[in-house]
Structures are given as C-alpha cells and as structure tokens.
C-alpha cells in the first residue's frame, strides 16, 4: 500500500499527462470538421462534460474510500459478474494503450521517421512503456512529474508559434460555424480528455486530507487539459481558414513550422520526437492498469503484476504490427474505442453507484 500511495500533486500530473496524449496534434482538425470556427467552444464544453464524468467516478470512489474498482466491483456485483467486468476493464485499458501508441506512431512515422520500419517504432514505445509499467503507481507519478517541463515547453512553443501569424478574420463571421455537427465536436473534445479513468484504481492510494481535496487535484488536471486543448484549437483556427483546416489533419505541426530557430533546423520534428515521452507516460499507465485488472480477476489478488504487464504489452505490440495502415488505425480508434470508453468510464461506474440505492428501494418495498 505504501509503494502505491501518491499525493494530490502527483495525481494531478499523472492525470494531466494521460489526458493530453496524442490528441493535441489532431484535435484542431476534428473540431474544425464538426464545429467549424467554434471548435474551441466545442473543446471547452467537452472539458466540462469530462468534469461531470470525473464527479461520477469521484462519488463512486468516495463511497468505497479504501478499495479500488477491482475490489468493490465484487462486493456490488458478485464474483461471476465482477470477474466479467474486471476482464472487460483489462481489455479496455490494453485497448487504450494500443490506440494511444498507434495514433502517435502513425504521426511519428509520417512526419519524422518515414523510412523506419513500423514494428521498430512500436517496439521502442512498448519496451519503454512496459518497463515503466512494472513499477509502482508512486514511482510512475515521479516519472510523470519529471516530464511536466516537456509538456509546458511544448504548449508554450505552440502558443508562441501560433500567435505570430494569427488572423482573427479566420473565425469570422460570428454566427456561421462551417462545421457539420457541433454536438460531434463536443464529443470529440470529451473523448480527447480521457485519462481520468485512472481514478477508478488510484482513489484509495491518494493520500489526501479529504476527498474534496482529491477532487480538487483531478479537477485542476482536467481544467489545465481543457485550457491546453481550447488554446491549441483556437490558435489553429486563427492561423487557417475553415477550408484550409479541412485539408490539414495535423494543423499543429504546420504552426510549429512557422517558428524559426537557428539552433534547431525543424521545431516541428523536434516537438513530435520529444512528445514520445508524453505518449509513453500515457501508455505505461494504461499497461499498468491492464495488468492490475488481470491480477484481480476472480476476486483474488494474484502477485504476478510484472508477468501480466509484459503479456499485455506483447499482445498490444503483436496487434499493432498487423495494423500499420492509417485507415485501419482510424477505424479501430473511432467508434469501437469511443463506445467502449464511454461504457467503462460512464455506464459501468453509474451502474455500480446505483446498485446500492436500488437494493435499498427494493428492501423497503418487500
């Protein structure tokens, strides 16, 4: 328990790095596609929706402050259903690790290392992530904290680059969005903020003076993530017309190309390469959670965490080697992943939260 304990600040940076992931490169394009010039607003509302999901998970954890989801799921649903749900979470967390890795490697391969074999890039990120996932939650939080300067530097670089050529006329006229569906834009902003699902496991390990301070820490993480996304989406909208945005899948990269520095030949390629560490931080936490879920299948905690980390890592790597095409990656990271994420982050926690209340109502009616 002591090895897993983390502070509120460590939780903040763990969740922050998990939420950012690879979507900072592609979210502006998706928001422009669906919400047009109001993509920044859709990203903001998506962040607010994420906060509602955080409140749901926080309320569930507050009810069982000394247990994580792989423990209280058996108390609420029984061993058979609990085992099925735990296995579902193991698949979900492994799936998340795979999707985050694939989305980043596809961009790294296309922009920076086009001649490097796909499997080599996958192997690099999964070896690094698998090694980190063997460690405790506390050690992972120290790693995430040490990576925060890269995140801050990357964000400031995008802001400085984007403001140089910003033109407010690109988001005019007010009242005409140009997008196909504002609601879909909000949903894109909502899914971009996934990562706070770590709280399902981490809640009892956060050493906080009160559950409200814990909520405050993860709210700060979500607020900073929302601020970063809204800023980046708005800057991209100020630099490109709606027609241009519809043809640029990664507008953030083109904005970084505007910044010239004699010391570094290409800021955009440096950014994508350094972002490897941020992506690895997301992947290794998901692999860690997947292994923890497998270890708790059957209501008995089996001390084989390291073994299952490498099994989950190996499975993700093997699957990733079979889907190097961009259209296949977009397919597996689209609706199937979004549906599974909503089920595991919203519907299952909501059901677990309602089960005791439904049981009490049934007891009163008998």
């Amino acid at each position: 328990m002591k090895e897993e304990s983390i502070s509120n600040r460590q939780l903040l940076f763990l969740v922050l790095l998990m939420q950012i992931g690879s979507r900072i490169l592609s979210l502006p394009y998706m928001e422009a596609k669906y919400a047009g010039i109001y993509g920044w607003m859709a990203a903001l509302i998506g962040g607010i929706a994420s906060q509602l999901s955080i409140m749901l998970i926080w309320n569930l954890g507050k009810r069982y402050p000394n247990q994580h989801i792989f423990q209280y799921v058996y108390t609420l649903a029984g061993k058979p259903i609990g085992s099925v749900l735990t296995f579902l979470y193991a698949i979900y967390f492994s799936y998340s690790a795979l999707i985050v890795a694939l989305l980043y490697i596809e961009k790294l391969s296309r922009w920076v290392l086009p001649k490097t074999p796909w499997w080599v890039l996958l192997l690099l990120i999964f070896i690094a992530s698998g090694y980190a996932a063997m460690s405790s939650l506390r050690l992972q939080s120290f790693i995430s904290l040490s990576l925060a300067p890269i995140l801050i530097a990357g964000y400031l670089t995008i802001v400085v680059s984007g403001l140089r050529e910003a033109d407010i006329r690109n988001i005019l006229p007010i009242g005409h969005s140009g997008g196909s569906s504002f609601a879909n834009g909000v949903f894109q902003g909502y899914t971009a903020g996934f990562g706070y699902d770590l709280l399902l496991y981490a809640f009892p390990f956060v050493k906080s003076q009160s559950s409200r301070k814990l909520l405050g820490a993860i709210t700060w993480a979500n607020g900073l993530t929302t601020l970063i996304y809204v800023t980046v989406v708005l800057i991209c909208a100020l630099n490109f017309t709606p027609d241009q945005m519809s043809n640029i899948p990664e507008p953030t990269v083109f904005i970084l190309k505007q910044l010239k520095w004699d010391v570094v030949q290409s800021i955009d390629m440096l950014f994508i390469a350094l972002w490897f560490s941020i992506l690895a931080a997301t992947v290794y936490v998901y692999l860690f959670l997947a292994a923890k879920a497998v270890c708790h299948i059957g209501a008995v905690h089996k001390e084989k965490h390291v073994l299952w980390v490498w099994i989950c890592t190996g499975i993700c790597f093997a699957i990733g080697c079979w889907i190097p095409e961009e259209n296949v990656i977009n397919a597996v990271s689209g609706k199937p992943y979004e549906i599974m994420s909503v089920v595991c982050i919203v519907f299952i926690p909501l059901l677990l939260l309602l089960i005791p209340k439904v049981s009490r109502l049934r007891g009163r009616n008998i």
Side-chain angles (χ1 to χ4, degrees):
M1 184 78 171
K2 185 178 179 180
E3 291 182 351
E4 296 282 67
S5 62
I6 58 176
S7 66
N8 286 328
R9 187 180 65 167
Q10 290 168 331
L11 174 68
L12 189 157
F13 282 100
L14 267 173
V15 174
L16 178 61
L17 264 67
M18 286 187 70
Q19 284 188 293
I20 294 299
S22 63
R23 298 297 294 276
I24 197 169
L25 297 175
S26 58
L27 182 63
Y29 167 75
M30 299 303 296
E31 293 293 14
K33 177 181 177 181
Y34 291 115
I37 60 175
Y38 296 128
W40 64 271
M41 190 182 299
L44 176 61
I45 298 174
I48 295 172
S50 293
Q51 186 62 32
L52 296 177
S53 295
I54 289 171
M55 293 291 294
L56 171 64
I57 295 174
W58 174 74
N59 273 287
L60 182 61
K62 188 175 65 169
R63 182 166 293 178
Y64 306 95
N66 298 317
Q67 294 182 317
H68 51 70
I69 189 170
F70 306 135
Q71 294 172 328
Y72 59 68
V73 69
Y74 292 100
T75 304
L76 294 172
K79 186 173 181 179
I81 297 178
S83 297
V84 171
L85 293 178
T86 303
F87 181 67
L88 179 64
Y89 274 105
I91 295 175
Y92 164 65
F93 289 131
S94 299
Y95 193 5
S96 298
L98 175 63
I99 292 302
V100 171
L102 287 177
L103 289 174
Y104 172 72
I105 293 299
E106 188 274 326
K107 294 172 179 60
L108 182 66
S109 177
R110 181 151 45 87
W111 285 97
V112 183
L113 301 169
K115 294 184 178 180
T116 305
W118 178 266
W119 68 268
V120 173
L121 298 176
L122 270 180
L123 187 63
L124 286 174
I125 194 169
F126 277 123
I127 286 180
S129 300
Y131 183 77
M134 293 191 302
S135 59
S136 67
L137 189 65
R138 188 177 186 180
L139 182 56
Q140 290 178 37
S141 69
F142 284 129
I143 298 173
S144 296
L145 196 59
S146 67
L147 294 175
I150 297 178
L151 175 62
I152 296 170
Y155 171 67
L156 292 178
T157 302
I158 294 173
V159 172
V160 172
S161 301
L163 291 178
R164 292 163 63 93
E165 302 292 335
D167 187 347
I168 196 170
R169 290 175 297 180
N170 288 329
I171 60 173
L172 298 176
I174 301 297
H176 175 69
S177 68
S180 60
S181 173
F182 186 80
N184 280 336
V186 171
F187 186 70
Q188 291 299 318
Y190 172 69
T191 57
F194 288 161
Y196 49 82
D197 40 346
L198 168 67
L199 193 61
L200 289 167
Y201 174 79
F203 193 101
F205 303 113
V206 181
K207 297 306 176 185
S208 179
Q209 295 179 354
S210 68
S211 60
R212 288 190 176 275
K213 290 191 175 182
L214 186 155
L215 176 62
I218 199 167
T219 298
W220 266 104
N222 185 60
L224 290 172
T225 300
T226 303
L227 174 64
I228 291 172
Y229 280 147
V230 169
T231 306
V232 172
V233 171
L234 182 58
I235 284 177
C236 289
L238 290 170
N239 278 264
F240 302 102
T241 65
D243 290 338
Q244 289 174 329
M245 285 285 287
S246 63
N247 295 307
I248 307 175
E250 289 94 25
T252 310
V253 177
F254 284 92
I255 287 178
L256 289 169
K257 286 180 178 291
Q258 297 174 176
L259 187 62
K260 304 298 181 182
W261 188 23
D262 294 336
V263 179
V264 180
Q265 180 180 1
S266 184
I267 297 292
D268 55 311
M269 290 188 180
L270 177 64
F271 176 87
I272 295 174
L274 288 177
W275 210 250
F276 177 93
S277 57
I278 304 297
L279 265 293
T282 306
V283 175
Y284 69 61
V285 175
Y286 275 130
L287 290 174
F288 169 86
L289 293 172
K292 286 295 183 183
V294 175
C295 288
H296 284 85
I297 294 176
V300 178
H301 184 198
K302 300 175 281 293
E303 296 294 338
K304 296 181 179 179
H305 174 71
V306 174
L307 173 64
W308 282 110
V309 163
W310 287 112
I311 290 176
C312 293
T313 302
I315 292 173
C316 290
F317 172 72
I319 296 174
C321 287
W322 286 95
I323 47 176
E325 288 80 13
E326 183 180 357
N327 58 337
V328 180
I329 294 173
N330 291 334
V332 298
S333 63
K335 291 298 180 184
Y337 178 65
E338 291 170 354
I339 292 172
M340 190 171 192
S341 298
V342 172
V343 168
C344 291
I345 294 176
V346 178
F347 287 119
I348 293 178
L350 182 61
L351 287 174
L352 294 177
L353 193 63
L354 292 177
I355 284 175
K357 296 181 179 180
V358 173
S359 298
R360 283 197 296 268
L361 288 176
R362 289 183 61 185
R364 291 175 183 176
N365 293 332
I366 295 175

